Amino acid sequence: MTEEMEKDRLKREFKRLFESMDFVCDNYLNKEGVPRKEQKRFADIYQQLGQVWEFLALQCKHWDGHKKTREKKEVCRICGTVKGVEETHILLPAKGPKKIGKAVSPNSVNTFPTKKEAWIIKDSIRFHGALMDVDVHNSYKSNLFKEHEINIAAERNVTLKERGVECTIGKHRIDLDLEKPKRRGSKPPYGNFAFELRKKDLKHFPVIFKFDDDFRFLGLTILVRS
Ligand SMILES: [Zn+2]
């Protein structure tokens, strides 16, 4: 369906929906002499139509822009939702690529007193069994190590977890963890550059380095025992 057809379809749907809502309002909710029981039933129906409105509005891309209402709010000319109001749901197509949000990065040079104030986004999605987590924050002060207050650098970290493997892509480092420490307080793993290790020790690691003619590091492959 083209964008234009989609817009026309939605416009028709909204027209019908708003007519139904007006009908319920005029004939049952705002009318004298309607029995209480019946009025309550139609109040429920009105609420349910309101949910349909929310669902349809998620599909609206506000193609025709916004107009000012008497209450000085800007509402979409098609779906009637107020501009800038945070949406509580996200609608994704079942087929084809899905898109949620856009890439955000740290946006301040300041160090904030708390993590909460430095927070920009922390969101996650479980996608066909894989877990992805996006954590973006500005710099903040942390007293994680009791008396010593340290500055946590501004960072955008994206983590993918799949079958116990965790890959975190940050601004200055990419971490790949095949196993997490089994219990809290256990000894942290050793860490060395490859050139610091002896050849016989290196042989324990099923890692293949990828590089070009100039020995520019292009990535690596880890062979996993199944
Ligand atoms: Zn709209």
Side-chain angles (χ1 to χ4, degrees), residues 64-189:
D64 290 352
H66 296 77
K67 62 176 178 195
K68 275 236 168 79
T69 63
R70 259 175 283 159
E71 296 88 46
K72 301 239 161 60
K73 280 183 193 152
E74 281 187 74
V75 299
C76 171
R77 288 173 197 276
I78 298 172
C79 69
T81 49
V82 179
K83 191 178 181 180
V85 168
E86 208 177 325
E87 286 173 354
T88 49
H89 292 88
I90 290 166
L91 193 70
L92 294 172
K95 286 185 183 147
K98 290 123 186 82
K99 193 182 157 201
I100 300 175
K102 49 188 173 216
V104 285
S105 299
N107 54 16
S108 172
V109 291
N110 299 326
T111 299
F112 292 83
T114 64
K115 186 174 185 178
K116 206 174 161 197
E117 285 165 88
W119 180 80
I120 297 171
I121 199 163
K122 179 151 177 62
D123 203 1
S124 63
I125 183 169
R126 195 168 279 283
F127 191 64
H128 300 283
L131 182 73
M132 188 161 81
D133 185 271
V134 177
D135 185 357
V136 187
H137 58 79
N138 288 315
S139 172
Y140 65 91
K141 290 187 187 300
S142 167
N143 47 12
L144 197 66
F145 302 102
K146 297 271 157 59
E147 289 102 62
H148 304 289
E149 202 175 54
I150 53 162
N151 282 356
I152 305 286
E155 186 60 284
R156 171 185 163 88
N157 277 320
V158 178
T159 305
L160 175 70
K161 287 180 197 164
E162 163 75 355
R163 282 166 41 218
V165 179
E166 200 175 304
C167 176
T168 300
I169 303 173
K171 197 177 172 199
H172 299 292
R173 59 191 278 175
I174 298 170
D175 268 303
L176 190 61
D177 289 294
L178 305 189
E179 273 179 50
K180 282 273 168 197
K182 290 205 170 57
R183 54 197 157 80
R184 278 180 86 125
S186 61
K187 208 168 146 187

Side-chain angles (χ1 to χ4, degrees), residues 10 14 56-66 75-81:
L10 262 185
F14 275 119
L56 281 179
L58 289 174
Q59 299 172 50
C60 180
K61 293 194 180 134
H62 320 310
W63 294 275
D64 290 352
H66 296 77
V75 299
C76 171
R77 288 173 197 276
I78 298 172
C79 69
T81 49

